[in-house]
Amino acid sequence: MIRYIVPILLLAISNIFMTFAWYGHLKFKTSPILIVILVSWGIAFFEYCFQVPANRIGHEVYNAAQLKTIQEVITLIVFSFFSVFYLKEQFKWNYLAGFACIILAVFFIFKKW
């Protein structure tokens, strides 16, 4: 059971770093772009420190399509919290509808046919 959970936890941690690397700078729009890029690269280093082991370990129990699907769902969850609580943006009903479509994709990816 733990071998199924560890990759998901590592992907979640990775996605937190990724979200800050990609979108955290939006609160610092007056910062020079070169500084923003360098700081984002520094944050992304830690993302990769979790992403690579997550995929390596995860590929023992999930196939690549399943790993990517898990990663995308985690990304949407992390980003939703990030945009609401860090960027102070409103979460709209159509975002939830779009996410529901992605959850439907999870069904198709993981369903044994």
Side-chain angles (χ1 to χ4, degrees):
M1 180 68 160
I2 194 155
R3 50 191 227 147
Y4 290 94
I5 296 171
V6 168
I8 293 170
L9 292 174
L10 292 173
L11 285 171
I13 295 167
S14 168
N15 270 276
I16 292 168
F17 282 109
M18 178 194 73
T19 301
F20 273 96
W22 287 13
Y23 301 101
H25 61 86
L26 296 178
K27 285 186 99 173
F28 305 98
K29 293 182 180 178
T30 59
S31 298
I33 194 70
L34 182 59
I35 299 298
V36 169
I37 291 169
L38 293 173
V39 169
S40 292
W41 277 356
I43 296 168
F45 169 78
F46 295 102
E47 172 205 349
Y48 277 80
C49 288
F50 289 95
Q51 181 77 23
V52 172
N55 287 327
R56 178 76 58 98
I57 295 166
H59 200 250
E60 294 176 12
V61 292
Y62 302 109
N63 65 41
Q66 290 172 328
L67 279 169
K68 183 60 180 173
T69 303
I70 293 166
Q71 186 265 330
E72 291 299 332
V73 170
I74 292 169
T75 296
L76 290 174
I77 292 167
V78 169
F79 183 77
S80 296
F81 281 98
F82 179 86
S83 65
V84 170
F85 294 109
Y86 184 78
L87 294 177
K88 307 293 187 210
E89 295 184 354
Q90 183 180 5
F91 191 83
K92 300 179 181 178
W93 73 268
N94 57 317
Y95 302 165
L96 188 58
F99 294 168
C101 292
I102 292 169
I103 298 302
L104 186 59
V106 171
F107 167 77
F108 285 110
I109 295 293
F110 281 87
K111 173 77 172 138
K112 303 286 186 210
W113 299 95

